[in-house]
Amino acid sequence: MSAPVPPVAAQLWSLHEDASKDLLGVLERVAEIGFAAVEPISLYNHPPSVVRSALDRLGLGLCSMHVPFPSGAGAAAVLDGCAELGVQTLVWSLEPEEFGTLDGVLAGAERVNRAAANAAARGMRIAYHNHFAEFRNEFGGRWAYDVLLAELDPAVVVELDTYWVAVAGLDPARVAAGLGDRLEFTHLKDGPATGMDDHMVPFGEGTVDVAAAARANPAVRWHIVEADRSHQDMYELLRSCYDYLVGAGLATGRRPVEAS
């Protein structure tokens, strides 16, 4: 049997400026495009209960949330807010400088594992989101990313940002395929794949083979569209990316799209 086609979500960092002024209005427009869910990065001072009610009213799911790892003094507050919102998977990254040395990677993995234990105690879990520093250094013939994943608790799942893999000079589809069942979320975006200041473009118009990345691993449960910045209207960009994925049968959404 073939694997089910993952639903498509929107990472709300794409609409950060608008969301900081009118988060509930942004949720309405994202729902209208057809996305099945969102992945927030902030509630912009809204109570979790208010955002939860808006999601339910709009029929939007909550695939995950970007929030700092719940370890250390602020862990309880992070987990309390996520519990009230109904978050199941908390996603975050290590800092680029932590990948400069093997000791840095190991210390970072320890912090993530503490967060995973804290989350598990509350019925939640952690996912690790990469940038491109993870693929810039090797230790013992292994990418820092591979060292990190080997050190992480197996309960920590992966959100692979395929664009930053491409920026690092690697093939996103190949990296995704090699992650096996641990890969549950992909961040999909397209552009020149040159660095952190890139402007994203509609899928199929940049240098990233988005379709290959989306097809690479049948374990993926969510495809998440993100655009850090763009020269075009962000809602138009998200709509075109939605149409590309759903129209090609690479993802499912709430608004049907004719096959292209």
Side-chain angles (χ1 to χ4, degrees):
M1 293 178 61
S2 59
V5 177
V8 61
Q11 163 55 251
L12 293 184
W13 175 252
S14 311
L15 300 161
H16 174 66
E17 289 188 13
D18 284 0
S20 67
K21 301 168 191 169
D22 182 14
L23 174 61
L24 303 187
V26 164
L27 292 177
E28 289 189 11
R29 295 192 67 177
V30 167
E32 183 273 330
I33 290 172
F35 286 101
V38 294
E39 184 181 56
I41 194 163
S42 173
L43 300 187
Y44 304 97
N45 298 316
H46 290 72
S49 58
V50 170
V51 178
R52 179 74 261 173
S53 294
L55 292 172
D56 291 343
R57 174 176 56 83
L58 294 167
L60 277 172
L62 186 68
C63 65
S64 45
M65 181 169 182
H66 275 215
V67 63
F69 293 125
S71 60
V78 169
L79 291 167
D80 287 346
C82 288
E84 188 177 353
L85 184 60
V87 179
Q88 293 295 310
T89 305
L90 291 67
V91 190
W92 203 244
S93 309
L94 296 180
E95 297 301 319
E97 55 269 22
E98 294 182 88
F99 294 99
T101 65
L102 179 58
D103 285 346
V105 176
L106 298 180
E110 241 180 75
R111 190 166 83 257
V112 179
N113 285 338
R114 286 196 301 272
N118 291 338
R122 301 286 296 273
M124 292 176 255
R125 63 188 187 152
I126 298 295
Y128 185 79
H129 175 90
N130 65 285
H131 291 97
F132 55 83
E134 290 87 339
F135 302 98
R136 288 289 166 89
N137 286 323
E138 292 185 50
F139 304 103
R142 295 191 296 167
W143 292 115
Y145 185 65
D146 294 330
V147 174
L148 173 69
L149 294 187
E151 293 294 323
L152 292 181
D153 186 313
V156 177
V157 298
V158 170
E159 178 177 270
L160 185 71
D161 192 307
T162 57
Y163 190 80
W164 299 130
V165 172
V167 168
L170 303 180
D171 177 1
R174 184 173 181 180
V175 173
L179 290 169
D181 291 345
R182 202 169 190 178
L183 178 59
E184 296 196 12
F185 307 88
T186 60
H187 268 202
L188 300 173
K189 44 194 170 187
D190 202 356
T194 57
M196 290 295 287
D197 295 327
D198 287 353
H199 285 72
M200 278 71 214
V201 300
F203 291 166
E205 295 184 16
T207 64
V208 180
D209 190 341
V210 173
R215 292 189 183 101
N217 190 323
V220 172
R221 295 174 58 189
W222 285 95
H223 287 320
I224 303 169
V225 176
E226 181 183 34
D228 298 75
R229 62 194 61 77
S230 179
H231 291 302
Q232 71 180 102
D233 178 81
M234 196 60 80
Y235 292 101
E236 290 179 5
L237 178 60
L238 292 177
R239 181 179 288 272
S240 71
C241 292
Y242 175 97
D243 289 351
Y244 178 99
L245 292 173
V246 175
L250 298 169
T252 60
R254 300 186 309 143
R255 175 176 60 85
V257 177
E258 262 187 52
S260 54

